Structure formats: C-alpha cells, structure tokens
Amino acid sequence: MFDSIPGYEGIAAGGGGAYLPPPMPSVPMPVPEHASSSPEWHNNIPSMSEGRAHQAFEEYISNKCCYSSAPVREGVITNMESFNTYRYRLETFTESRSTKWSEEPYTGQHVDAGIQCPPGPWEIAAQPPSYFTDHKETIRVPYTSSVKKCNPCSGMGKNSCSSCTGTGSKVCSGCNGSRQRPDNESCDKCDYRGHEKCSSCSGSGFHKCDTCDGKGQLLVFISLEVKWSTEKDDYVAQDSSGLRQEKLGKVSGKEVFKDAQITVYPVMGFPDVSVAQASECLIRDHQVKYTKDSRILQQRQTIELITITRVNYTWKEKSYVYYVYGNELKVNADDYPATCCCSVM
C-alpha cells in the first residue's frame, strides 16, 4: 500500500511520525544584539488616589450579588500602601514539521512518484504567518503520489452490506419468515415469500466503499504538516503585599522593556536581580527545549511593571484589607465582612 520513498523511510505504514528535527543552519545564527544604551528602568508611577481606590472597590462589590454594599458605603480607609512588582515574559515563535501517509479517492489526479527524488521535509517552502501567530498548514510532498488499489473493498468500489450479509434481503419482520401472520393469514408484507428487501442497501446487497468513494482506487501520498506556535513563559517577582501571586496572571501592567530578535540576549542590569536571573534561565531553557524538534524564528521578551495597592479600612470598629492591582484596577477582597451564602439549584 505504501511505497518506500527516499528520505521518508521512517514513516510507519498508514501513520505518521513525530516532529522532525530541523537541519543544522547553513550559516551561523546571528548573535543577539546588546542594547546600544541602558534602558531607563525606573519609571515614575503615580500613586493611586483614595477616591480611585474607593471607586474600584465600589465597582467590584456592585458585581457581587451576595455582597452587601454597607462596608463600601460606611467603611473608612485608614491606610494605603503601594507594592509594585515586575512580570518578565519570554515568547519563542517556532516552526515544527511532521510527515504522514495520506490517501484520497483517485479521480485522475496528477501522479508523480518515481519521477525524481522528493525534496526533504525541511526543503519544502512554507510561508509562515506573522510572528507570534499560531497556524497550521498541510502540504502534499511532491513526487510521492501514486495510485493503489483500495484495500477495504479490494478495488471493487463497494462492500457487502453488513445488515443482510450481501444477500439483498432479510427475514420478513411481519411474519418472521413463516409467510403467515399471527392471525394465520398470508403475509402481504413480504408477498408470502418470508423475506423482504433489505432497507439498508435497497436490495443491492452492497454499499459504496467510503474509503475510495466507489472508485476502487486511491491516490496515496505523503503529507507534510507545518505548525507555527508561540511558546510562552512568565516570571513574576515576589512582593510583600500579601496578594496571592496567581491573581496577577489575569491583569496587564505598564510595559517598561521590550526586545524582539531571532534570538534575544538576557536582560542586563535590571534593578530587580531576580528578573535578570529569570531572563537568563528562561532564554537558556527555551533554546534547549525548542531547538530539538523545531526551528526558532523569533523571540520576544518584555517586562511589565504591575501596580499593587493594599488598602486598609475599618467597618464597625474592625479592620479589613482589599487590593487594587494591574492596569485593569482589579480588586481582591478575600476578607470582605458582609457576604451571604446562596446557591443556584
């Protein structure tokens, strides 16, 4: 069914293989460019006003059906503290390739197997989308197409009907083959024959072969699947605000650094040492993980400053805390003092 094609011998008959390692580059990879001048790491972020913090709190509670608004209306803010943190993000845009045998009904398509050796999987041109846009494309490998007899129907284009085992008729459901109904009258459903035409195959005893669409022949060829994907890792620097770090994954921050190249260089001289260390570690990890079975087309690294404001307030002579964070001014208030339990049946 499947020929041995030079350069594609590793494809299992009827199946596909894993992603193929890219060839070694014919020219050295470009060295990442150092920044010509040190970025201005320190940015003046205005502190949040008490009125804006209260407004964010009010909007948050208004969307909570089980939260009373009394603490918002009657509570008194006693203290506000800023705990800004940084998020480092590394994105690596890769191209991966895999091959598999494919087949389709033969209706006169071009056949080219054996004319010449097919190009290798990484020699076939494929136009990538814009950087950091995930996409897939399937390409028929040139000089691998041949015509084969359809195995499921042995080239006949049809298969025996499983309902009537190819006879075209079944035992009559009206008389169960006895030719007489339960009232001893002759069965008119089967015209006193005891059998009736098979409804599944309309009495022909066969069904058109789904594999070859009744043609009896298949065009067999190798398909190349090209996959472009963005691999992403984040690192968020620790802070002492008390806000759970996973909350920050749902907000954006102010971008203070951005660098995009085929391969990026670790961030140098950043005031938060842990961010610089994360940059070095993640870039090294991406180079190891994504060059084995794929080709790196572009990398991008960014640093965002995420603002976190911890607001202390009192209500009914007790102290509570809520947080306002991110560009979206999201609110977290785990200890909100006026909630009720409700359930949806």
Side-chain angles (χ1 to χ4, degrees):
M1 184 68 176
F2 302 103
D3 298 326
S4 177
I5 304 292
Y8 293 86
E9 295 87 354
I11 305 178
Y19 285 107
L20 305 167
M24 294 294 291
S26 56
V27 295
M29 290 290 289
V31 177
E33 299 176 4
H34 287 279
S36 56
S37 60
S38 298
E40 183 60 48
W41 296 122
H42 299 282
N43 289 269
N44 294 321
I45 305 297
S47 58
M48 181 174 295
S49 68
E50 186 174 306
R52 191 67 190 90
H54 185 270
Q55 182 183 352
F57 194 30
E58 196 172 44
E59 292 172 357
Y60 170 75
I61 298 304
S62 68
N63 292 318
K64 298 286 186 179
C65 65
C66 297
Y67 282 35
S68 166
S69 62
V72 179
R73 290 183 285 103
E74 302 167 4
V76 177
I77 294 177
T78 57
N79 187 39
M80 291 174 56
E81 296 178 88
S82 295
F83 296 89
N84 301 331
T85 189
Y86 294 101
R87 175 169 57 216
Y88 172 83
R89 173 172 292 162
L90 176 65
E91 297 169 278
T92 297
F93 185 61
T94 66
E95 178 182 316
S96 307
R97 299 192 173 202
S98 64
T99 54
K100 67 177 182 179
W101 280 106
S102 299
E103 57 189 39
E104 62 185 38
Y106 179 64
T107 57
Q109 300 95 314
H110 180 61
V111 177
D112 57 9
I115 295 177
Q116 66 181 66
C117 285
W122 285 94
E123 296 172 354
I124 298 172
Q127 182 61 43
S130 57
Y131 288 149
F132 307 105
T133 301
D134 291 359
H135 183 63
K136 281 185 181 180
E137 183 176 342
T138 301
I139 302 171
R140 184 177 300 181
V141 177
Y143 309 113
T144 64
S145 299
S146 61
V147 178
K148 303 293 181 183
K149 181 176 71 174
C150 179
N151 276 344
C153 67
S154 300
M156 296 177 60
K158 57 185 179 181
N159 293 305
S160 294
C161 175
S162 59
S163 183
C164 65
T165 63
T167 63
S169 63
K170 300 170 66 175
V171 173
C172 177
S173 59
C175 64
N176 200 26
S178 67
R179 303 182 184 182
Q180 287 185 321
R181 300 199 306 255
D183 58 5
N184 292 325
E185 292 291 328
S186 297
C187 182
D188 54 3
K189 186 173 184 181
C190 63
D191 200 18
Y192 202 60
R193 291 194 303 267
H195 289 78
E196 58 183 331
K197 184 170 68 174
C198 176
S199 59
S200 178
C201 63
S202 300
S204 68
F206 295 93
H207 287 289
K208 183 175 70 173
C209 177
D210 291 333
T211 302
C212 66
D213 195 32
K215 309 301 180 184
Q217 291 181 306
L218 296 171
L219 184 74
V220 178
F221 54 92
I222 294 176
S223 291
L224 171 70
E225 183 184 84
V226 186
K227 177 184 176 184
W228 293 277
S229 58
T230 304
E231 313 297 340
K232 182 175 68 175
D233 278 301
D234 291 349
Y235 168 79
V236 178
Q238 294 287 341
D239 68 88
S240 57
S241 66
L243 178 66
R244 296 196 307 276
Q245 197 173 82
E246 62 266 22
K247 294 289 184 180
L248 301 179
K250 300 178 180 179
V251 297
S252 60
K254 179 183 178 182
E255 189 176 276
V256 296
F257 175 72
K258 183 177 182 179
D259 176 32
Q261 302 181 51
I262 295 178
T263 54
V264 295
Y265 196 85
V267 174
M268 306 292 287
F270 195 74
D272 189 320
V273 177
S274 70
V275 172
Q277 292 173 339
S279 170
E280 184 176 0
C281 180
L282 290 177
I283 290 173
R284 183 174 60 249
D285 287 350
H286 277 216
Q287 285 292 333
V288 172
K289 289 166 63 177
Y290 304 123
T291 55
K292 292 178 181 177
D293 298 326
S294 59
R295 178 165 58 189
I296 294 177
L297 302 183
Q298 187 82 350
Q299 288 188 309
R300 178 169 64 193
Q301 57 181 345
T302 56
I303 299 176
E304 294 172 279
L305 175 63
I306 303 176
T307 60
I308 304 172
T309 302
R310 185 169 70 189
V311 182
N312 296 275
Y313 70 101
T314 59
W315 183 64
K316 293 187 176 181
E317 299 182 355
K318 290 186 178 180
S319 298
Y320 303 96
V321 174
Y322 68 87
Y323 297 88
V324 184
Y325 55 98
N327 288 343
E328 298 79 2
L329 299 181
K330 280 191 171 289
V331 171
N332 179 248
D334 288 340
D335 65 347
Y336 193 71
T339 64
C340 65
C341 296
C342 65
S343 61
V344 178
M345 300 300 291

